[in-house]
């Protein structure tokens, strides 16, 4: 199988989604409204990860289009309520179709993981016509992302089988991160006002963190 040829449409999908989501953020900022999107990143699942998932799910090459996360985009937000604003905005779009939503914020996983996942069908325009690409959009706060990044790293070390002490500490850390989000939400009015004043004083600049994990 020519993996580069197979992954090209997914890479194009990620690039287009990042561009469109960053444009959403720009429009919010240009109207002097609080932008619910802090920054946007994206990635294509590695070939090794795809092969591992194929084995785990017993998928053949002709069923790879069943995978929802080969193309992945992540949206970072400042506040929990920003996440739901982004979800609302995405539901209104006509250039993608939401096929599944998973709210791991209201219903967090037993590990403590929190995030909002949206699986979409994206109509990709290519020279030989339209191709529907599945993609996953993850929306989370900066605190949620910090926890998830650490948990992901530890998962590689322990292969998903954490020692009891580590597992308990991760759950406590997840609750602490969510408590931070809750506290920040309680004073979000003051924070947004301060940020708007700062932006007006310094002049508008777009986020430099967008491609931090690309």
């Amino acid at each position: 199988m020519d993996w580069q040829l197979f992954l090209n449409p997914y890479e194009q999908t990620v690039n287009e989604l990042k561009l469109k989501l960053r444009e959403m953020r720009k429009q919010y900022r240009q109207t002097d409204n609080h932008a619910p999107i802090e920054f946007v990143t994206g990635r294509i699942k590695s070939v090794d990860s795809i092969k591992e998932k194929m084995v785990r799910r017993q998928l053949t090459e002709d069923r790879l289009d069943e995978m929802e996360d080969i193309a992945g985009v992540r949206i970072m937000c400042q506040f929990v309520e920003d996440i739901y604003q982004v979800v609302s905005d995405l539901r209104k779009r006509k250039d993608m179709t939401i096929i599944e939503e998973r709210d791991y914020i209201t219903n967090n996983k037993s590990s403590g993981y929190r995030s909002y996942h949206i699986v979409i069908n994206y109509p990709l325009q290519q020279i030989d016509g339209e191709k529907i690409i599945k993609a996953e959009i993850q929306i989370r706060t900066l605190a949620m992302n910090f926890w998830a990044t650490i948990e992901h790293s530890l998962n590689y070390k322990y292969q998903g089988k954490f020692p009891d002490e580590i597992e308990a500490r991760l759950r406590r850390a997840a609750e602490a991160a969510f408590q931070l989000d809750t506290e920040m939400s309680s004073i979000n009015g003051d924070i947004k006002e301060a940020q708007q004043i700062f932006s007006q004083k310094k002049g508008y600049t777009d986020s430099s963190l967008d491609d931090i994990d690309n």
Side-chain angles (χ1 to χ4, degrees):
M1 181 174 186
D2 186 337
W3 283 103
Q4 185 56 56
L5 185 63
F6 170 76
L7 290 173
N8 279 342
Y10 291 93
E11 183 176 1
Q12 184 181 343
T13 296
V14 168
N15 288 336
E16 291 187 13
L17 287 172
K18 288 192 299 183
L19 184 66
K20 291 179 177 183
L21 292 167
R22 291 168 185 172
E23 183 60 31
M24 282 175 55
R25 179 187 62 196
K26 182 179 179 182
Q27 289 177 32
Y28 270 107
R29 290 179 173 175
Q30 287 181 332
T31 55
D32 290 329
N33 289 316
H34 168 72
I37 297 174
E38 182 69 8
F39 62 92
V40 181
T41 63
R43 63 99 185 100
I44 302 299
K45 202 173 189 68
S46 71
V47 174
D48 286 343
S49 294
I50 293 173
K51 289 180 177 178
E52 184 274 331
K53 194 166 187 177
M54 287 173 67
V55 172
R56 181 159 38 89
R57 293 181 53 182
Q58 298 182 324
L59 294 177
T60 54
E61 290 184 357
D62 62 329
R63 294 176 59 199
L64 280 177
D65 60 353
E66 295 180 21
M67 283 195 192
E68 302 169 345
D69 60 348
I70 294 177
V73 174
R74 187 169 296 157
I75 301 173
M76 256 26 116
C77 304
Q78 288 188 343
F79 306 107
V80 174
E81 54 267 31
D82 288 343
I83 294 174
Y84 292 101
Q85 179 61 57
V86 172
V87 171
S88 177
D89 290 341
L90 293 178
R91 287 172 180 161
K92 297 172 187 174
R93 296 189 70 97
K94 305 299 183 183
D95 55 350
M96 62 185 74
T97 301
I98 295 176
I99 58 177
E100 188 173 356
E101 297 184 32
R102 305 185 194 109
D103 186 349
Y104 296 123
I105 300 169
T106 303
N107 304 294
N108 61 289
K109 293 185 178 182
S110 59
S111 64
Y113 177 85
R114 285 182 170 90
S115 186
Y116 201 105
H117 292 196
I118 292 179
V119 180
I120 65 168
N121 279 335
Y122 183 77
L124 183 68
Q125 307 304 315
Q126 297 188 295
I127 58 173
D128 56 349
E130 182 177 275
K131 182 179 177 66
I132 302 299
I133 300 293
K134 277 191 175 69
E136 183 180 67
I137 302 175
Q138 296 180 355
I139 315 164
R140 56 179 64 155
T141 65
L142 299 170
M144 291 174 192
N145 189 62
F146 172 71
W147 183 92
T149 301
I150 298 301
E151 193 267 353
H152 185 70
S153 299
L154 287 172
N155 195 52
Y156 273 101
K157 177 179 179 180
Y158 293 108
Q159 296 296 304
K161 298 177 181 178
F162 297 126
D164 291 343
E165 182 185 3
I166 296 294
E167 191 172 24
R169 287 186 173 184
L170 279 172
R171 282 198 296 267
R172 289 197 297 270
E175 290 306 313
F178 192 64
Q179 182 62 33
L180 174 62
D181 279 333
T182 302
E183 289 296 325
M184 291 300 102
S185 290
S186 70
I187 56 171
N188 68 18
D190 289 324
I191 295 172
K192 291 174 183 177
E193 183 180 355
Q195 290 175 338
Q196 187 173 27
I197 294 171
F198 181 80
S199 296
Q200 290 171 347
K201 191 172 183 180
K202 294 296 183 180
Y204 170 81
T205 56
D206 223 357
S207 175
S208 61
L209 295 175
D210 278 323
D211 292 305
I212 195 167
D213 69 351
N214 288 351

